Amino acid sequence: MAEKTTKALRSAARVLAYGGVAALGLAAVAFVFALVSHGLDWSAGLDWARKLLLLVGALCLITGGCGLFVSGRDRPSDAVTPHEDDTFRMFWHEVGMPWGAAVSLASIDFLVLGTVVDLVYFSVAG
């Protein structure tokens, strides 16, 4: 039992790390794009970054939740519609958790970083 828990925690930590890198990358690209396109206005750069991070985080949470909601649904075991999808099975094998759980977990990074940028934005703008 301890081995399964360790493996699950290791998978969750890896998903959170990759989600954090993706969130930081998205924030940096959005910030630089808005900074350059708005005449080097720092508040516009922070505003774009926070809006985009919160939007992507919310969409990831919805997508992952829907994936978790329908992932246990049985499929007919016919030759045309296989019972298991190879892509999702390989994702579970590589990452260590279903894709819906991984996307839901990665959305935490986007929402937390979006909240931090939101706090910075309002402290700088105020």
Side-chain angles (χ1 to χ4, degrees):
M1 186 67 168
E3 183 179 326
K4 287 177 83 173
T5 304
T6 304
K7 186 177 178 183
L9 289 175
R10 191 174 295 135
S11 297
R14 186 171 41 180
V15 166
L16 284 172
Y18 287 144
V21 169
L24 282 173
L26 179 68
V29 167
F31 179 77
V32 169
F33 177 77
L35 187 72
V36 170
S37 66
H38 286 278
L40 301 177
D41 184 16
W42 288 85
S43 64
L46 287 173
D47 188 37
W48 273 51
R50 81 178 173 93
K51 286 179 181 177
L52 195 57
L53 282 170
L54 292 174
L55 176 72
V56 170
L59 289 175
C60 284
L61 189 61
I62 291 168
T63 303
C66 289
L68 286 173
F69 184 66
V70 299
S71 65
R73 193 174 289 171
D74 286 332
R75 297 184 211 154
S77 52
D78 191 8
V80 179
T81 56
H83 183 66
E84 289 185 7
D85 191 355
D86 289 334
T87 305
F88 293 144
R89 190 178 70 232
M90 286 307 295
F91 184 87
W92 193 326
H93 177 69
E94 291 291 325
V95 176
M97 63 177 52
W99 71 270
V103 170
S104 296
L105 194 58
S107 72
I108 293 171
D109 291 317
F110 286 92
L111 295 173
V112 167
L113 188 61
T115 303
V116 168
V117 173
D118 194 30
L119 292 172
V120 170
Y121 172 73
F122 284 118
S123 69
V124 169

